[in-house]
Structures are given as C-alpha cells and as structure tokens.
Amino acid sequence: MSSSYMSWRSSASNRRPTQPTNTSKNRGTIYPDLNQDPTPKPVIHFLAFALIVFLGLLQFLPASHFRHPSDPHRNWVPFNSHSSPSPTVKLTVDEDDELIHIVSWMQCLDLKVLAVLANSTLSSSRYPDLLHFHFFTPQGDKDKVSFYKLKVLFPHSNLELHGQEKVKEIIKRTSSEAEYDSLNLEEIAPFIIPSVHQSLTKFIYVSPNLILMGRIEELTGIDLSAHAAAAAEDCSNRLNSYVSSDVLDAIQRSASKPWISVTPYVKDACMPDLSLLLINGKKLEEFLEAVLWWSKVLNWSDRSDKRNPAIGLALYNRYLKLSNSWLVKEPASVDTIETSMITHYDGPKIVCSEFGNDTIPGSSHGNLWIKYLPSMSNQILGI
C-alpha cells in the first residue's frame, strides 16, 4: 500500500504548473499577417490624384452620342457633324401622332423621281419608320395604280397621295388669272397646304427634284414658335437682283401693311431657298394675301421671264435661317456630294408642257440618282 501511495505522490510531484506564454515575444511568428502595412510611395498618391482629376475633366467634354428615350432599342446615335449647332434634335414634327411629316408637290407625276426622293430620305434617316410622306400629285388618291406601285417599292413606309385641286382653288379664288400664272405652284403650295389639311400644322416641305443625304429628323427640333418657316439662305439670289432698293424704300414709306418690314430692307439680302422648308402652319395668317400684294405692287405678272420675289419678300424677317449645310447644291463633284446634306436630282425626269409631258434628254443626266433608285424600279416603274 505504501508503494502505491509513493508512486502516486511521485507522479504528482513531477507535475509542474505550466508557465504562461510570452505572447508579446512570439506575436511575429504566430500572427505574421498583423505586421504594420508598408507606407506607399508619394508618387502613388500623386498618380491616383491625377487620375481622379482626369476623369473629372472628361465630364466637361461635349457629347458625341445621344440615346433618344423614344427609341425602343436604346441605341447610341452619333451627332451629325454637318448639322446646325443651334437646333435641338428631337424625333418628331407632329406632337400628336409623333411622326415626321414630309410633303412634296409635283406638277407632272414622275414616279421615278418620287422613288429616288423617298428612298434617299429613308436610307439616310435613323428612324425611317417615323417618316410619313405626303405626295401632292395631279390625280392624288384617285390614281390607285401609282399608289400601289410606290407601296410595292416601299411596303413598310407611310405614304399618301393627295390631290391638288383644293389648294389650287384657294389660290385662284384670291388672285387674278395673271397673278395666278405668275406664281410657281411648287413654291407657293407649301404655304397653302395647312389651310386645306388641318392635320398638317408642322411639316417639312421638300421639292420632288431633290436627293436627301442628310438625316431629315435633325430638322424637327427647330423651334418655330415665332416664325412661319425655316429655310436656308441662297446667296446666289439676292434681293437687289429682283427689285431695287429705291422701290422698296418708296413702298415702305407709302404703304402700311403688316407684312412690310419695320426696319429698312437690306438691298443685297440673300433670298430663302424654297426647295426645302420647315413650315409652321399656325404662323401663316395673311401669307397668301402678302404674296399676292407684293406681286401686284411690283407688277410681276407682266414679267413672267424672271422668278417672282413675292414669296421671299413675304418671308422677309419672318423665317428662321437654317444651317448652310441644308442649302441645295449641285452634284457636280465627289467633294460636293460627300459634304452636302441635299443635292439636286440629276437623273431623267418629266417636264410639264402645254402639249404634253416631255422627258429631258439623256445627255444631261448624272449618276447619283442611280444610287438611290430602288432595286425593283425597273420592273415596277418600267424604266
């Protein structure tokens, strides 16, 4: 029994209390990740600050693209370098139906010319499904065959054929026969159409003998609240080439009409280009009366050999000037074509005459119109 007790005591006496571990001495070996972080070099601080400043300055660069909220695909669209910097780009002319209405007046029906006009406008636009064409032709909607031919060429486009009788009737009712004959209907008709078609209060008028290479929707954001129309200035035609400044001064002193300018007329003022217009139908009160008055005062019915400046005088100080890029140019060279938004149609076309419609000889044709002629035109239009 004594041996048992001694063995137990011996084992118990051999136990010693465990000494506490000196954690402060062994911290580096047990927790190596808690060492003090290295101090970054000053150049790193400088580069990080410079990067933040650079990113902040990028916010002041002008926008190069925009994304319209009405676009279901939310595509980024680059701003056109040829567009005017002043108008704001919108997507619609008509606030009610959200469509861009494009109107054209053709004295002699030529489907080939209309096809080139429509195809060039559609192919140059980023929103062709929002374009709505209104073609005023001699037969209008009575000519079902012509309408169906155009629909075959442009099956997904919005287009209508309208008659010309009501517009011509308004002009004839308010003018004499001599005054009516002195007017170019393709130039005066855009200003009468809103009184016949109440739904067309704001639209883009395009002469049928044009090829559009710019985006037509860029014209729709222009604010016309204070103007009857918007047009580019044609400085190849100036006011003093039609009427002298002495005559204008005498008229200004003796007559008191609301369409006469309060300020003196600039004798060498550029005339508006009536080939492409943005029309505000709400600001055209007494416009036809003003045109006929100027035509009568200047006795222009006796001078049918020259272009009637009555429309330009009626628009004096009443139209908004478009960017020069929207001035119609001749497709004379490759440089002109590449820098222009709009040029004259250079293909064969039908010309009205008293003895029937004639076609201009082929020697005067260019090649640009072929680029915008729809592929099925030969079969559908019989070209």
Side-chain angles (χ1 to χ4, degrees):
M1 182 171 181
S2 61
S3 62
S4 174
Y5 170 78
M6 291 299 292
S7 63
W8 172 85
R9 185 170 181 173
S10 175
S11 62
S13 62
N14 291 335
R15 296 179 183 175
R16 295 291 183 269
T18 304
Q19 296 296 327
T21 305
N22 189 352
T23 57
S24 60
K25 294 181 179 179
N26 302 328
R27 184 175 300 169
T29 58
I30 298 176
Y31 305 107
D33 57 329
L34 296 181
N35 288 339
Q36 186 178 2
D37 294 335
T39 303
K41 297 180 180 180
V43 67
I44 302 297
H45 285 290
F46 176 77
L47 292 177
F49 178 75
L51 179 62
I52 294 174
V53 173
F54 173 74
L55 294 176
L57 292 177
L58 287 179
Q59 306 302 315
F60 295 95
L61 292 177
S64 60
H65 292 68
F66 74 97
R67 190 167 63 181
H68 200 278
S70 298
D71 183 5
H73 302 291
R74 307 291 290 161
N75 294 322
W76 287 103
V77 181
F79 286 111
N80 194 305
S81 59
H82 299 300
S83 62
S84 176
S86 56
T88 303
V89 176
K90 295 182 181 178
L91 199 61
T92 178
V93 165
D94 196 301
E95 293 81 2
D96 297 329
D97 57 14
E98 296 186 352
L99 293 176
I100 302 173
H101 295 279
I102 302 171
V103 175
S104 189
W105 179 284
M106 178 169 276
Q107 286 290 93
C108 301
L109 180 62
D110 192 339
L111 293 179
K112 174 178 66 277
V113 176
L114 288 182
V116 171
L117 172 63
N119 196 36
S120 64
T121 307
L122 290 168
S123 59
S124 302
S125 174
R126 290 191 175 273
Y127 306 98
D129 56 323
L130 295 181
L131 304 184
H132 192 139
F133 295 96
H134 302 265
F135 296 138
F136 286 78
T137 60
Q139 297 297 322
D141 56 356
K142 298 178 181 177
D143 189 357
K144 301 296 183 182
V145 175
S146 298
F147 174 75
Y148 291 138
K149 286 183 178 181
L150 290 175
K151 287 301 292 183
V152 171
L153 293 177
F154 308 103
H156 305 294
S157 300
N158 303 311
L159 61 89
E160 294 183 60
L161 296 184
H162 302 275
Q164 302 175 343
E165 295 83 3
K166 294 182 179 180
V167 176
K168 292 180 178 179
E169 182 181 349
I170 292 178
I171 302 175
K172 289 180 179 179
R173 190 169 60 242
T174 55
S175 63
S176 65
E177 183 177 354
E179 292 171 342
Y180 180 85
D181 294 336
S182 67
L183 295 175
N184 185 338
L185 291 181
E186 287 190 4
E187 295 180 346
I188 190 63
F191 303 97
I192 312 302
I193 288 174
S195 61
V196 176
H197 297 269
Q198 303 292 328
S199 59
L200 293 174
T201 57
K202 187 180 179 183
F203 59 87
I204 300 171
Y205 175 79
V206 182
S207 172
N209 300 314
L210 296 180
I211 299 176
L212 269 71
M213 297 173 292
R215 298 189 180 100
I216 197 72
E217 61 266 18
E218 294 186 0
L219 293 173
T220 62
I222 299 176
D223 184 11
L224 281 183
S225 57
H227 299 84
E233 284 187 310
D234 182 9
C235 292
S236 63
N237 291 309
R238 296 186 179 270
L239 185 59
N240 56 5
S241 62
Y242 297 95
V243 56
S244 66
S245 58
D246 295 336
V247 172
L248 288 176
D249 292 341
I251 294 174
Q252 197 171 24
R253 289 193 303 267
S254 59
S256 58
K257 294 291 184 179
W259 47 77
I260 296 179
S261 176
V262 178
T263 59
Y265 287 91
V266 180
K267 61 180 181 179
D268 60 344
C270 301
M271 300 292 282
D273 185 1
L274 302 178
S275 299
L276 185 140
L277 299 165
L278 186 58
I279 298 292
N280 181 11
K282 298 179 181 179
K283 290 290 183 178
L284 292 176
E285 300 87 355
E286 301 178 334
F287 185 83
L288 178 59
E289 182 180 355
V291 172
L292 296 176
W293 185 87
W294 276 112
S295 183
K296 182 177 181 180
V297 168
L298 298 176
N299 295 321
W300 214 261
S301 59
D302 298 332
R303 292 181 285 178
S304 57
D305 58 324
K306 296 185 67 177
R307 178 184 175 186
N308 192 340
I311 298 178
L313 288 167
L315 284 175
Y316 193 87
N317 286 340
R318 294 183 64 185
Y319 79 98
L320 185 67
K321 297 176 178 60
L322 294 178
S323 167
N324 188 58
S325 59
W326 287 104
L327 178 65
V328 180
K329 298 179 177 63
E330 297 292 340
S333 63
V334 177
D335 294 337
T336 302
I337 295 173
E338 291 180 350
T339 58
S340 299
M341 304 278 262
I342 183 170
T343 66
H344 285 289
Y345 171 83
D346 61 348
K349 56 185 177 181
I350 296 175
V351 179
C352 300
S353 67
E354 298 179 358
F355 307 101
N357 300 335
D358 300 325
T359 302
I360 296 180
S363 58
S364 61
H365 300 168
N367 298 319
L368 181 61
W369 69 283
I370 301 176
K371 176 182 176 181
Y372 295 100
L373 191 67
S375 58
M376 297 177 59
S377 298
N378 292 335
Q379 297 88 338
I380 304 302
L381 305 181
I383 300 175

